[in-house]
Amino acid sequence: MNSKSAKILFLTGASGAGKTALLEYIQKNSKLTDILYYHFDSIGVPSKSEIIRKYGSGRKWQEAMTYTWINKIINENNEQTRAIIEGQVDIQFIINAFDNLLFSGYKIILINAEKDVRDERLIILRKQAYLATNDMESWALYLKKQAVEFGIEILDTSNITLAESADYIVNYLEN
């Protein structure tokens, strides 16, 4: 990854870590004018039976959609434009997709939050208690382990404000 000349910033993390809120905040409040914004979930998630029928497993679906998104972003990107995409995506899939497309101008940042913070966001703020599960905690720990293994930067949003998190991302994009 050539993070100094990154044209695409991929924010990944578990539900409740702050990815979507962070991207929306930056989109509304940043003065950056050359950024395209993408939400991985905007593609819609088919039913479990459809995913199994078409892809064989949820992991295979996520891998295929990661490649599709990254291909789309690279094709929509021009020399003057940068992009941010956020989604709950396996880091290995992101790396593989960029590598398969021979694109090195990207950076991945894991947006992370402690379990109690994620659970509060999911249960109280988002009214999605069904996401505050042990499976989500396992997913968050898996992503964190991957981030450490691949040398991916981790932004822990547990004890900082949304504005501080956004400033961190914007400062990265400006520099």
Side-chain angles (χ1 to χ4, degrees), residues 58-79:
R59 283 188 57 77
K60 293 284 188 189
W61 175 84
Q62 186 186 90
E63 184 175 27
M65 293 305 100
T66 302
Y67 183 89
T68 299
W69 263 116
I70 289 172
N71 189 48
K72 172 184 169 58
I73 294 167
I74 289 171
N75 287 329
E76 289 180 358
N77 203 346
N78 64 45
E79 291 301 314

Short mmCIF file of all heavy atoms in Angstrom, two decimals, residues 58-79:
data_model
loop_
_atom_site.label_atom_id
_atom_site.label_comp_id
_atom_site.label_asym_id
_atom_site.label_seq_id
_atom_site.Cartn_x
_atom_site.Cartn_y
_atom_site.Cartn_z
N GLY A 58 -21.79 -16.28 2.93
CA GLY A 58 -21.74 -14.85 3.19
C GLY A 58 -20.35 -14.28 2.94
O GLY A 58 -20.20 -13.17 2.44
N ARG A 59 -19.32 -15.05 3.28
CA ARG A 59 -17.94 -14.59 3.05
C ARG A 59 -17.66 -14.43 1.57
O ARG A 59 -17.03 -13.47 1.15
CB ARG A 59 -16.93 -15.56 3.67
CG ARG A 59 -16.81 -15.42 5.17
CD ARG A 59 -15.67 -16.25 5.74
NE ARG A 59 -14.37 -15.98 5.18
CZ ARG A 59 -13.58 -14.94 5.47
NH1 ARG A 59 -13.99 -14.04 6.32
NH2 ARG A 59 -12.39 -14.81 4.92
N LYS A 60 -18.13 -15.37 0.76
CA LYS A 60 -17.91 -15.29 -0.69
C LYS A 60 -18.66 -14.09 -1.27
O LYS A 60 -18.15 -13.43 -2.18
CB LYS A 60 -18.36 -16.58 -1.39
CG LYS A 60 -17.51 -17.77 -1.05
CD LYS A 60 -16.21 -17.71 -1.78
CE LYS A 60 -15.46 -19.02 -1.59
NZ LYS A 60 -14.12 -18.94 -2.10
N TRP A 61 -19.86 -13.82 -0.76
CA TRP A 61 -20.61 -12.64 -1.21
C TRP A 61 -19.83 -11.37 -0.87
O TRP A 61 -19.66 -10.50 -1.72
CB TRP A 61 -22.00 -12.59 -0.55
CG TRP A 61 -22.75 -11.34 -0.89
CD1 TRP A 61 -23.48 -11.09 -2.00
CD2 TRP A 61 -22.80 -10.13 -0.11
NE1 TRP A 61 -23.99 -9.81 -1.98
CE2 TRP A 61 -23.58 -9.20 -0.81
CE3 TRP A 61 -22.26 -9.76 1.12
CZ2 TRP A 61 -23.84 -7.92 -0.33
CZ3 TRP A 61 -22.52 -8.48 1.60
CH2 TRP A 61 -23.30 -7.58 0.87
N GLN A 62 -19.35 -11.28 0.39
CA GLN A 62 -18.61 -10.08 0.81
C GLN A 62 -17.35 -9.90 -0.03
O GLN A 62 -17.04 -8.79 -0.45
CB GLN A 62 -18.24 -10.17 2.29
CG GLN A 62 -17.59 -8.89 2.80
CD GLN A 62 -17.09 -9.01 4.22
OE1 GLN A 62 -15.95 -9.39 4.43
NE2 GLN A 62 -17.94 -8.68 5.18
N GLU A 63 -16.67 -10.98 -0.32
CA GLU A 63 -15.47 -10.90 -1.15
C GLU A 63 -15.81 -10.40 -2.55
O GLU A 63 -15.14 -9.50 -3.08
CB GLU A 63 -14.81 -12.28 -1.21
CG GLU A 63 -13.50 -12.30 -1.95
CD GLU A 63 -12.83 -13.65 -1.88
OE1 GLU A 63 -13.52 -14.69 -1.74
OE2 GLU A 63 -11.59 -13.67 -1.99
N ALA A 64 -16.85 -10.95 -3.16
CA ALA A 64 -17.25 -10.53 -4.50
C ALA A 64 -17.68 -9.07 -4.51
O ALA A 64 -17.32 -8.31 -5.43
CB ALA A 64 -18.38 -11.42 -5.01
N MET A 65 -18.44 -8.64 -3.52
CA MET A 65 -18.91 -7.26 -3.47
C MET A 65 -17.76 -6.29 -3.19
O MET A 65 -17.75 -5.17 -3.70
CB MET A 65 -20.01 -7.09 -2.42
CG MET A 65 -21.31 -7.82 -2.75
SD MET A 65 -22.02 -7.38 -4.36
CE MET A 65 -21.48 -8.76 -5.38
N THR A 66 -16.79 -6.71 -2.41
CA THR A 66 -15.61 -5.86 -2.16
C THR A 66 -14.88 -5.61 -3.47
O THR A 66 -14.54 -4.46 -3.79
CB THR A 66 -14.67 -6.53 -1.14
OG1 THR A 66 -15.38 -6.76 0.08
CG2 THR A 66 -13.45 -5.66 -0.86
N TYR A 67 -14.67 -6.64 -4.25
CA TYR A 67 -14.02 -6.48 -5.55
C TYR A 67 -14.86 -5.58 -6.46
O TYR A 67 -14.32 -4.68 -7.11
CB TYR A 67 -13.81 -7.85 -6.20
CG TYR A 67 -13.07 -7.76 -7.51
CD1 TYR A 67 -11.69 -7.80 -7.54
CD2 TYR A 67 -13.75 -7.60 -8.71
CE1 TYR A 67 -11.00 -7.69 -8.75
CE2 TYR A 67 -13.08 -7.48 -9.91
CZ TYR A 67 -11.71 -7.53 -9.93
OH TYR A 67 -11.04 -7.41 -11.11
N THR A 68 -16.17 -5.78 -6.48
CA THR A 68 -17.06 -4.97 -7.31
C THR A 68 -16.98 -3.50 -6.93
O THR A 68 -16.86 -2.62 -7.79
CB THR A 68 -18.52 -5.48 -7.20
OG1 THR A 68 -18.56 -6.83 -7.66
CG2 THR A 68 -19.48 -4.62 -7.99
N TRP A 69 -17.05 -3.20 -5.62
CA TRP A 69 -16.98 -1.82 -5.15
C TRP A 69 -15.65 -1.17 -5.51
O TRP A 69 -15.60 -0.04 -6.01
CB TRP A 69 -17.17 -1.76 -3.64
CG TRP A 69 -18.56 -1.45 -3.23
CD1 TRP A 69 -19.40 -2.27 -2.53
CD2 TRP A 69 -19.30 -0.24 -3.46
NE1 TRP A 69 -20.62 -1.64 -2.33
CE2 TRP A 69 -20.58 -0.40 -2.89
CE3 TRP A 69 -19.01 0.95 -4.11
CZ2 TRP A 69 -21.55 0.59 -2.93
CZ3 TRP A 69 -19.99 1.93 -4.15
CH2 TRP A 69 -21.22 1.74 -3.57
N ILE A 70 -14.57 -1.86 -5.24
CA ILE A 70 -13.26 -1.27 -5.48
C ILE A 70 -13.05 -1.04 -6.98
O ILE A 70 -12.54 0.00 -7.39
CB ILE A 70 -12.15 -2.13 -4.84
CG1 ILE A 70 -12.25 -1.97 -3.31
CG2 ILE A 70 -10.77 -1.75 -5.35
CD1 ILE A 70 -11.37 -2.88 -2.50
N ASN A 71 -13.48 -1.97 -7.80
CA ASN A 71 -13.40 -1.79 -9.25
C ASN A 71 -14.20 -0.56 -9.68
O ASN A 71 -13.73 0.27 -10.46
CB ASN A 71 -13.91 -3.05 -9.96
CG ASN A 71 -13.66 -3.01 -11.44
OD1 ASN A 71 -12.56 -2.71 -11.89
ND2 ASN A 71 -14.69 -3.31 -12.21
N LYS A 72 -15.41 -0.41 -9.15
CA LYS A 72 -16.27 0.74 -9.47
C LYS A 72 -15.59 2.05 -9.06
O LYS A 72 -15.56 3.01 -9.84
CB LYS A 72 -17.61 0.58 -8.73
CG LYS A 72 -18.53 1.77 -8.80
CD LYS A 72 -19.78 1.52 -7.93
CE LYS A 72 -20.65 2.69 -7.70
NZ LYS A 72 -21.19 3.36 -8.83
N ILE A 73 -15.05 2.09 -7.86
CA ILE A 73 -14.42 3.32 -7.37
C ILE A 73 -13.20 3.68 -8.21
O ILE A 73 -13.01 4.84 -8.58
CB ILE A 73 -14.05 3.19 -5.88
CG1 ILE A 73 -15.33 3.07 -5.04
CG2 ILE A 73 -13.22 4.37 -5.41
CD1 ILE A 73 -15.10 2.63 -3.61
N ILE A 74 -12.38 2.70 -8.53
CA ILE A 74 -11.20 2.98 -9.36
C ILE A 74 -11.64 3.51 -10.72
O ILE A 74 -11.06 4.47 -11.23
CB ILE A 74 -10.32 1.71 -9.51
CG1 ILE A 74 -9.64 1.41 -8.17
CG2 ILE A 74 -9.29 1.89 -10.62
CD1 ILE A 74 -8.92 0.07 -8.13
N ASN A 75 -12.67 2.94 -11.30
CA ASN A 75 -13.14 3.38 -12.61
C ASN A 75 -13.78 4.76 -12.57
O ASN A 75 -13.75 5.48 -13.57
CB ASN A 75 -14.10 2.35 -13.21
CG ASN A 75 -13.38 1.12 -13.67
OD1 ASN A 75 -12.22 1.17 -14.08
ND2 ASN A 75 -14.04 -0.02 -13.58
N GLU A 76 -14.38 5.14 -11.44
CA GLU A 76 -14.99 6.47 -11.32
C GLU A 76 -13.99 7.54 -10.90
O GLU A 76 -14.27 8.72 -11.00
CB GLU A 76 -16.13 6.44 -10.31
CG GLU A 76 -17.34 5.68 -10.79
CD GLU A 76 -18.47 5.64 -9.78
OE1 GLU A 76 -18.31 6.17 -8.66
OE2 GLU A 76 -19.52 5.07 -10.12
N ASN A 77 -12.85 7.12 -10.44
CA ASN A 77 -11.84 8.03 -9.91
C ASN A 77 -11.02 8.61 -11.05
O ASN A 77 -10.71 7.93 -12.01
CB ASN A 77 -10.93 7.23 -8.95
CG ASN A 77 -10.22 8.09 -7.96
OD1 ASN A 77 -10.18 9.30 -8.09
ND2 ASN A 77 -9.66 7.46 -6.96
N ASN A 78 -10.68 9.89 -10.93
CA ASN A 78 -9.76 10.48 -11.89
C ASN A 78 -8.58 11.08 -11.13
O ASN A 78 -8.53 11.00 -9.92
CB ASN A 78 -10.46 11.51 -12.78
CG ASN A 78 -10.97 12.71 -12.00
OD1 ASN A 78 -10.26 13.25 -11.17
ND2 ASN A 78 -12.20 13.12 -12.25
N GLU A 79 -7.67 11.66 -11.83
CA GLU A 79 -6.44 12.16 -11.20
C GLU A 79 -6.68 13.21 -10.12
O GLU A 79 -5.89 13.36 -9.22
CB GLU A 79 -5.49 12.72 -12.27
CG GLU A 79 -4.91 11.67 -13.17
CD GLU A 79 -4.12 10.62 -12.42
OE1 GLU A 79 -3.30 10.97 -11.56
OE2 GLU A 79 -4.34 9.41 -12.69
#
